[in-house]
């Protein structure tokens, strides 16, 4: 991901966070998204899969879902508006041939959340699916919610 596209993704995430609920932490202030991309790509390399590249539309979708879960204090692949991952990915303007989503809540940092995903068969399958080519990561922290931290990975392969 170029510095320009990463900056655009972070700005979009911050705008989404501000619009959804005051009090949400700024999107990815500590570089969690990049750390998750790097850790995920490390596992993919060990399995012989190509590296994922960051995609700003998938990032917007993932960040929006993390923000929404934190703002409305829930944890689910289904949004409070009834949307599923494919709906949110399409709304962000990503035209996918295939997609997948990992979510997590309550983990304290990138290493911990990626380890949790790798220890879960379904999440691990998404991470190690060599047909998926791009990734967007969302991370939001909000005190006073059940889990405090909300993590989303949106994977895709464009048409």
């Amino acid at each position: 991901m170029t510095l320009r596209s990463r900056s655009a993704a972070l700005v979009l995430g911050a705008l989404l966070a501000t619009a959804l609920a005051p009090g949400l932490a700024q999107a990815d202030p500590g570089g969690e998204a990049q750390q998750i991309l790097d850790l995920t790509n490390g596992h993919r390399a060990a399995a012989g899969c190509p590296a994922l590249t960051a995609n700003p539309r998938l990032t917007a979708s993932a960040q929006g879902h993390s923000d929404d879960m934190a703002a409305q204090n829930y944890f689910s692949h289904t949004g409070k508006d009834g949307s599923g991952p494919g709906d949110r990915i399409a709304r962000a303007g990503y035209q996918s041939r295939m997609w997948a989503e990992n979510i997590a809540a309550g983990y304290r940092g990138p290493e911990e959340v990626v380890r949790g995903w790798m220890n879960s068969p379904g999440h691990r399958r998404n991470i190690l699916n060599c047909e998926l080519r791009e990734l967007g990561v969302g991370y939001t922290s909000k005190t006073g919610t059940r889990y405090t931290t909300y993590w989303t990975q949106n994977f895709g392969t464009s048409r």
Side-chain angles (χ1 to χ4, degrees), residues 3-158:
L3 180 58
R4 186 175 190 175
S5 63
R6 178 167 163 70
S7 296
L10 290 175
V11 167
L12 178 59
L15 289 173
L16 285 170
T18 302
L20 285 171
L24 288 178
Q26 181 183 1
D28 201 27
E32 286 85 356
Q34 185 62 50
Q35 291 175 46
I36 287 177
L37 176 63
D38 294 343
L39 290 165
T40 298
N41 278 334
H43 289 290
R44 288 174 62 88
C49 293
L52 296 164
T53 58
N55 179 284
R57 290 174 193 233
L58 290 172
T59 297
S61 174
Q63 188 62 54
H65 191 54
S66 288
D67 290 344
D68 188 54
M69 288 189 292
Q72 298 194 58
N73 198 20
Y74 74 100
F75 179 68
S76 175
H77 286 285
T78 303
K80 286 289 189 174
D81 64 357
S83 65
D87 301 318
R88 293 186 297 272
I89 288 168
R91 271 197 313 235
Y94 187 83
Q95 296 189 6
S96 64
R97 184 169 51 84
M98 65 186 309
W99 57 264
E101 180 177 80
N102 286 348
I103 60 173
Y107 289 93
R108 288 177 259 159
E111 295 86 4
E112 189 177 302
V113 73
V114 172
R115 185 171 40 255
W117 283 327
M118 289 301 291
N119 287 330
S120 163
H123 295 110
R124 179 184 183 88
R125 192 169 30 257
N126 290 339
I127 288 171
L128 300 181
N129 182 338
C130 295
E131 294 182 40
L132 293 165
R133 302 291 186 200
E134 297 176 297
L135 181 69
V137 176
Y139 165 72
T140 301
S141 175
K142 184 178 182 196
T143 58
T145 61
R146 181 173 179 191
Y147 297 104
T148 308
T149 59
Y150 299 83
W151 308 83
T152 304
Q153 284 184 313
N154 283 159
F155 300 85
T157 300
S158 62

